[in-house]
Structure formats: structure tokens, C-alpha cells
Amino acid sequence: MTSDTTQELAYPPRVTPFTEPFWNGLDEGVLRTSRCRGCSHMTFPPKPICPECWQSDLEWVDLSGRGTLYSYTEVSAAPATFADEAPYVLCLVDLDEGVRCLSRINAQWDQLRPDQRVKVTIRDSTPVRLFDFEIDSSEEDQ
């Protein structure tokens, strides 16, 4: 899912030859990370060397983008680069594939609770797209 407006990033992430598949995945609407071919360990964010076995034989895997809200906090006193965007909510999400990631969540503080189901949404921004999370309303009534 993408938003209707494009945001110019004040502090864009660095794109490298290694991370290019990650950014291409977001362009395709897919959250992607690296997995070690030797021990099958996945990491997020993607890393060029496996932190478990130190091998560099990696593959890119698509993630479902669905997970469980582990923790969250509201940022009201943001760094200068992001001051115009405050307040915003950051979250830690345990993805269904077993990796934890940090991102923003597009929800008001009083809508959130630990262990809530969430899903990825793609933020239309330049020079690269970013990802956020939102409450997964398809699983809210289950």
C-alpha cells in the first residue's frame, strides 16, 4: 500500500550496491531483507555479513510485512532534521518471519497496544521510498 503524496526526505538514507535490492523491493511494494545461505539466519536491517556465522554468502528474501507490535514511543522533541514532522510514533515490530525492525507507525498513540497486529505500508518519498507500519485491521476482530 502506498500513500497519495510524495515526501521529499530531508535526510535520505544512503543507497549502496549491497542495499539496492532492499530499496528496489520497496519500489515494488515489498519489504525485503538478507538471509545467510550457510545458517539461514535472517537479519533486519539487511547486512552484508551474517552476524551468526560470519559468512558473506547471502540471499535476498521477501518478507510478508506483517507482524506484532512489540513496543512503541511517541517522539515529540525530534532532532532538528525531523522537527517539522513531530509528533510521530516509532515502533518495534516482530515480523512473522522472526526478525524485529524499527520504523514509524501510522497511528495515534491511543490506538496502539502491545501485541497488536500490524502490517507494512510503503511511504511514497524521494529519493527513495520508505516503509512504515499501520494497524492491521483485517486481524483486529480475530
Side-chain angles (χ1 to χ4, degrees):
M1 179 177 175
T2 58
S3 63
D4 294 336
T5 59
T6 301
Q7 173 191 15
E8 181 72 29
L9 299 174
Y11 191 75
R14 188 176 61 150
V15 177
T16 68
F18 171 75
T19 62
E20 195 169 354
F22 172 79
W23 301 112
N24 290 343
L26 293 181
D27 286 342
E28 299 163 12
V30 175
L31 187 61
R32 191 173 280 157
T33 197
S34 57
R35 177 173 55 200
C36 178
R37 285 191 172 113
C39 72
S40 299
H41 183 76
M42 276 193 291
T43 60
F44 195 89
K47 295 175 180 59
I49 295 178
C50 176
E52 289 293 310
C53 69
W54 300 100
Q55 292 187 35
S56 58
D57 184 17
L58 305 170
E59 63 185 340
W60 288 92
V61 293
D62 294 349
L63 302 168
S64 67
R66 295 191 180 308
T68 303
L69 186 60
Y70 177 78
S71 184
Y72 52 95
T73 188
E74 186 174 70
V75 176
S76 54
T81 305
F82 305 108
D84 292 343
E85 300 173 42
Y88 53 89
V89 180
L90 293 177
C91 66
L92 280 173
V93 171
D94 289 333
L95 293 174
D96 291 348
E97 292 82 5
V99 293
R100 181 173 286 168
C101 64
L102 172 70
S103 185
R104 291 189 187 189
I105 187 162
N106 298 322
Q108 298 299 314
W109 178 264
D110 59 357
Q111 297 174 303
L112 300 172
R113 67 180 193 286
D115 297 325
Q116 193 168 25
R117 294 294 293 168
V118 295
K119 64 181 178 180
V120 159
T121 182
I122 305 300
R123 188 185 329 165
D124 202 12
S125 53
T126 59
V128 295
R129 289 191 169 113
L130 298 178
F131 72 95
D132 300 318
F133 286 94
E134 64 185 12
I135 296 169
D136 189 348
S137 57
S138 69
E139 296 192 24
E140 277 300 289
D141 297 325
Q142 295 181 6

